[in-house]
Amino acid sequence: MNTVFRGGTRGTGIIMTHRRITLADLVFGEPLRWDIFGPGAKADSAPDASPLLQKGQVLAPSPQLNGWLEAGLFAEASAAPSVLHALNDLNKRLEQLLLSLRNEHAADAAVRAIANELIAAVDIDPDIALACIFQNQIAGLYAVRHCIETAVVAVLVARAMQKPDDEVLTITAAALTMNVGMVRQTEGFQGKDCSLSNDERAIVRRHPIESVDLLRCAGVADPLWLDYVLLHHENDDGSGYPDGKLGADIPQNAKLIGLADRYCAHVSARNYRRSILPDLALRNLFVENALPIDPALADQFIRQLGKYPPGSLVRMENGEIGVVTRRLGADTLTVHALLAADGAALPEPTLRSTTEPACGIAEALHEDHARVRFSMRQIWGERASL
């Protein structure tokens, strides 16, 4: 519940809106994202201006903190929630859940809670959520990070297709758990510098079945969720796995997850190859791919991702190098230029629009070619703070 008090210097008359903090808002071992005030902040009066806990302070569990929480702790409600921080936190929680799923018996609610929070993070700022995929600031196991990234793309496309909220939630839960049957093996595959062995390929082809079996044992009974996991590697022409089903027998939402899965796999680096640049990844999936693809899905993937999604490193026609920050329309992007045409660092990130003369995008770049260093917060602000 939001409340107001007259904050800052006593007598200034400044009205500040505050919200109550719960234990769920606090991440132990990480810096606080806001100043936190004591119970006086809930009144429409002038409390002590000094925060009880300061932004940047690292917390640990303690009886004193529990007492403060019971009495009431409040933070400024206007503080922008960070999409990057939320995705990082969800990545940690999902990793713990997936790695212990064999011992879980009521995982349905836990996965849905993570799915709901991921959807909320994407809704806060879809451009930042996309940029997180390309800037790789989500820590942890690749196998889990890949599921988070796939879910981000799936939510973006499902929203664009105006799918109902309950359907978007099921799609997200399925994307987060699509590979649980081989989550441990995937990390080993990521470390290989050669192609998979026959036994390893067999694990890959079997993982949709293994994932569904594991989810059932962990308490997931939603038939749509389980179907999406089982069928996300099937192809319309029957060439997919595990059952070689044809297009009419594959739900559109399973196809959506499968496309998001493949796109995110393309744009992620491996030990044995670089990441595929986003414009080439899109071309590989929807232009040069011989497989038939649901035209409605193809249209929305192309519309929502585009050749240069937010987070892409690019060279503009004027020679400047920067990072794509916003999608403003079908043909309009904003880019924060970081290097001048001669390679010199600009004094600060400089906002460009692709509609400006000579500011169209000439090409996408890999990190080693762009040679730019920046934090996401530097470009996107508080909503991309760690």
Side-chain angles (χ1 to χ4, degrees):
M1 176 178 170
N2 290 346
T3 55
V4 295
F5 77 98
R6 299 182 187 279
T9 305
R10 290 182 183 274
T12 60
I14 297 172
I15 301 295
M16 296 181 69
T17 304
H18 278 65
R19 65 185 180 89
R20 185 158 184 168
I21 293 294
T22 69
L23 185 61
D25 294 307
L26 304 178
V27 182
F28 296 123
E30 295 189 7
L32 276 173
R33 288 174 284 158
W34 343 262
D35 287 336
I36 293 182
F37 297 83
K42 68 183 179 180
D44 186 11
S45 61
D48 186 346
S50 299
L52 191 62
L53 298 167
Q54 292 187 330
K55 181 178 179 179
Q57 186 174 343
V58 176
L59 299 184
S62 70
Q64 183 184 40
L65 180 60
N66 291 338
W68 286 342
L69 285 164
E70 288 179 11
L73 291 178
F74 295 82
E76 190 177 349
S78 60
S82 169
V83 177
L84 175 61
H85 189 279
L87 292 178
N88 279 342
D89 180 60
L90 293 173
N91 189 79
K92 292 175 186 176
R93 287 164 52 191
L94 184 65
E95 180 176 318
Q96 292 174 349
L97 181 60
L98 295 186
L99 291 178
S100 64
L101 200 62
R102 294 185 186 279
N103 302 317
E104 297 283 343
H105 302 289
D108 185 296
V111 175
R112 288 183 188 274
I114 293 172
N116 264 316
E117 291 180 46
L118 185 141
I119 293 166
V122 174
D123 287 345
I124 288 169
D125 197 314
D127 288 332
I128 294 177
L130 273 178
C132 289
I133 296 173
F134 298 94
Q135 292 308 313
N136 293 319
Q137 295 198 31
I138 300 177
L141 298 177
Y142 165 77
V144 179
R145 187 178 77 240
H146 173 68
C147 292
I148 293 281
E149 293 169 350
T150 298
V152 166
V153 173
V155 169
L156 186 72
V157 174
R159 284 284 200 230
M161 297 181 77
Q162 300 183 334
K163 291 181 180 288
D165 288 347
D166 59 344
E167 197 171 329
V168 176
L169 179 60
T170 304
I171 292 168
T172 308
L176 293 173
T177 55
M178 63 184 179
N179 294 339
V180 67
M182 64 169 191
V183 67
R184 295 180 186 275
Q185 294 93 332
T186 300
E187 206 60 26
F189 298 163
Q190 169 71 359
K192 288 176 69 74
D193 57 3
C194 59
S195 59
L196 300 182
S197 67
N198 289 336
D199 287 345
E200 289 167 336
R201 281 195 290 271
I203 290 171
V204 172
R205 295 185 69 84
R206 196 168 60 244
H207 85 268
I209 296 172
E210 298 283 351
S211 297
V212 167
D213 289 345
L214 189 51
L215 287 168
R216 282 201 178 104
C217 290
V220 175
D222 184 333
L224 294 176
W225 178 347
L226 297 174
D227 269 358
Y228 301 162
V229 171
L230 181 65
L231 303 175
H232 74 280
H233 280 295
E234 298 286 3
N235 296 323
D236 279 0
D237 64 354
S239 63
Y241 60 86
D243 296 323
K245 290 188 176 293
L246 294 170
D249 298 321
I250 309 167
Q252 185 185 64
N253 291 336
K255 298 176 188 178
L256 189 165
I257 294 169
L259 286 170
D261 178 14
R262 275 182 272 170
Y263 178 82
C264 291
H266 275 52
V267 298
S268 294
R270 300 287 195 277
N271 279 2
Y272 56 88
R273 69 158 173 82
R274 303 164 89 183
S275 61
I276 298 175
L277 292 170
D279 55 333
L280 295 179
L282 204 67
R283 173 176 287 275
N284 288 348
L285 278 179
F286 298 110
V287 178
E288 297 180 357
N289 189 350
L291 294 173
I293 293 178
D294 182 320
L297 287 176
D299 178 65
Q300 285 300 336
F301 267 80
I302 292 168
R303 285 175 181 269
Q304 300 307 314
L305 296 170
K307 293 172 63 177
Y308 310 108
S312 304
L313 300 176
V314 296
R315 187 193 313 277
M316 289 179 282
E317 292 167 356
N318 62 11
E320 292 178 338
I321 290 175
V323 58
V324 176
T325 49
R326 297 286 175 192
R327 303 162 299 154
L328 299 184
D331 301 311
T332 306
L333 302 170
T334 60
V335 178
H336 273 68
L338 301 166
L339 298 182
D342 63 2
L346 295 172
E348 60 184 19
T350 304
L351 185 63
R352 308 292 191 204
S353 169
T354 54
T355 58
E356 295 174 26
C359 289
I361 295 175
E363 61 177 335
L365 299 173
H366 285 104
E367 287 183 359
D368 53 344
H369 284 166
R371 296 182 179 178
V372 292
R373 295 178 65 85
F374 60 91
S375 70
M376 289 187 65
R377 181 180 180 180
Q378 183 184 4
I379 303 299
W380 285 274
E382 284 296 319
R383 291 192 188 276
S385 63
L386 284 169

